[in-house]
C-alpha cells in the first residue's frame, strides 16, 4: 500500500495521506503501480467527461477534460515532453543536449511538441461519442504510464540528481505484473482489438526510447520517460479513434 501511495503522490497532485516521503523502499518500488494509478486517473477523467457531455457540446467538454488531465498530473509529463524535445532536437552534441534538457526554460521545440500533443488529444476525444470517449479516456493514461515503465526497464537512467534516481529499475517480474494488468484491462474493454492498441503503443514508445538513447549517448533521463508517457497516451487515442471510425470497437467485443 505504501508503494501505491508513493506512486499516486508522484504521478498526481492528489494530497493522499501516508508516510511515504521517508520510506525509500516504497518510493523505489512504486513504478510497479504506475499503470494502476494511470487507470484511476483515466476513470476520473472519463467520469468528468461523461457528466459534461450531458450538458455541453463535445468539443468544449473535451477541452475541459484535457485541462483537467493537465491539472491532476501537475503537467508532470508535459514538462518532461517539453524538456525532452528541446534537448533532443536543439543540440548538436550529446553534451549540449543534456544541458538544454536541464534548462527550465521552454524552447520552440518544446512548445511545439506540447501544443501538438494537446491538440491531438483534444481532437481525438472530440471525435468520439459517449461510451467510446469513456473507454478511450479510461485506457489512455494507463497505457501511457505502462509505456513509460517499459522504457524504465529497457534503458538505463543516468541523471543521479533527477527524480528518476529515486526509483529502481524494475526486474522482469515487477515489470511483467503491471503490464499484464494493463493488457487485461484493455482486453476487458476492447476484446481482441486490445492487441491492435497495446502493441503499437509499445513499439512507438520503444522506438522513441531508441531514438533518445542514440541522441544522449545511450542513457535516458526522467524527461524522456515523461515524454514517453505522453507519446503512449497520444498513440492510444489515435488508434482508438481509428478503430471506431472503421467499425471496430466496444460493440465488436461485447456483441
Amino acid at each position: 500500500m505504501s508503494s501505491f501511495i508513493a506512486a499516486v503522490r508522484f504521478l498526481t497532485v492528489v494530497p493522499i495521506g501516508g508516510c511515504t516521503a521517508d520510506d525509500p523502499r516504497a518510493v523505489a518500488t512504486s513504478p510497479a503501480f504506475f499503470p494502476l494509478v494511470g487507470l484511476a486517473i483515466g476513470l476520473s477523467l472519463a467520469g468528468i467527461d461523461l457528466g459534461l457531455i450531458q450538458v455541453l457540446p463535445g468539443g468544449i467538454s473535451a477541452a475541459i477534460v484535457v485541462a483537467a488531465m493537465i491539472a491532476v498530473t501537475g503537467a508532470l509529463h508535459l514538462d518532461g515532453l517539453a524538456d525532452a524535445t528541446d534537448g533532443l532536437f536543439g543540440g548538436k552534441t550529446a553534451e549540449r543536449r543534456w544541458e538544454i534538457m536541464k534548462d527550465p526554460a521552454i524552447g520552440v521545440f518544446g512548445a511545439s511538441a506540447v501544443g501538438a500533443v494537446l491538440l491531438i488529444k483534444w481532437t481525438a476525444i472530440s471525435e468520439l461519442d459517449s461510451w467510446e470517449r469513456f473507454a478511450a479516456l479510461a485506457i489512455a493514461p494507463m497505457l501511457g504510464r505502462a509505456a513509460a515503465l517499459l522504457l524504465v526497464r529497457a534503458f538505463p537512467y543516468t541523471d543521479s540528481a533527477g527524480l528518476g534516481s529515486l526509483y529502481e529499475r524494475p526486474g522482469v517480474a515487477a515489470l511483467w505484473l503491471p503490464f499484464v494488468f494493463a493488457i487485461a484491462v484493455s482486453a476487458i474493454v476492447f476484446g481482441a482489438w486490445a492487441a491492435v492498441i497495446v502493441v503499437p503503443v509499445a513499439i512507438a514508445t520503444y522506438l522513441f526510447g531508441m531514438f533518445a538513447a542514440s541522441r544522449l549517448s545511450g542513457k535516458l533521463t526522467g524527461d524522456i520517460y515523461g515524454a514517453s508517457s505522453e507519446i503512449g497516451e497520444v498513440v492510444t487515442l489515435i488508434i482508438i479513434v481509428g478503430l471506431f471510425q472503421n467499425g471496430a470497437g466496444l460493440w465488436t467485443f461485447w456483441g
Side-chain angles (χ1 to χ4, degrees), residues 42-43 46-51 53-54 125 127-139 189-190 240 244 248-251 254:
L43 287 172
I48 292 171
D49 181 70
L50 189 60
I53 60 177
Q54 307 305 315
I125 296 169
E127 287 293 320
L128 297 170
D129 296 322
S130 187
W131 289 105
E132 299 173 1
R133 288 166 67 124
F134 189 96
L137 284 168
I139 294 298
V189 177
F190 293 102
I240 290 175
F244 281 118
L250 294 174
W251 57 82
W254 295 111

Side-chain angles (χ1 to χ4, degrees), residues 10 26 39 42 58 93 95 177 237 242 248:
F10 179 70
L39 178 62
T93 66
E95 291 73 20
L177 291 175
L237 290 172

Side-chain angles (χ1 to χ4, degrees), residues 81-93 96-98 100-101 108-110 112-113 208 211-212 215-216 224 227 231:
L81 176 68
D83 290 340
T85 49
D86 274 337
L88 293 176
F89 296 101
K92 294 183 181 295
T93 66
R96 179 56 182 154
R97 292 172 195 130
W98 285 108
I100 294 174
M101 290 174 67
V108 63
F109 288 112
S112 299
F208 170 70
F211 169 74
R215 304 281 284 177
L216 298 171
I224 301 298
I231 291 171

Side-chain angles (χ1 to χ4, degrees), residues 9-115:
R9 295 175 73 172
F10 179 70
L11 293 176
T12 75
V13 297
V14 177
I16 188 171
C19 300
T20 59
D22 298 323
D23 187 351
R25 182 60 183 172
V27 174
T29 56
S30 64
F33 291 93
F34 282 8
L36 178 59
V37 175
L39 178 62
I41 293 171
L43 287 172
S44 299
L45 295 172
I48 292 171
D49 181 70
L50 189 60
L52 289 174
I53 60 177
Q54 307 305 315
V55 294
L56 293 172
I60 295 177
S61 175
I64 295 173
V65 168
V66 170
M69 188 181 299
I70 297 171
V72 75
T73 61
L76 175 67
H77 300 310
L78 283 174
D79 180 65
L81 176 68
D83 290 340
T85 49
D86 274 337
L88 293 176
F89 296 101
K92 294 183 181 295
T93 66
E95 291 73 20
R96 179 56 182 154
R97 292 172 195 130
W98 285 108
E99 293 176 4
I100 294 174
M101 290 174 67
K102 291 179 181 295
D103 188 341
I106 185 172
V108 63
F109 288 112
S112 299
V114 170

Side-chain angles (χ1 to χ4, degrees), residues 21 42 47 68 92 102 104 119 140 156 158 162 183-184 194 245:
K92 294 183 181 295
K102 291 179 181 295
L119 179 60
T158 190
I183 293 170
Q245 291 291 332

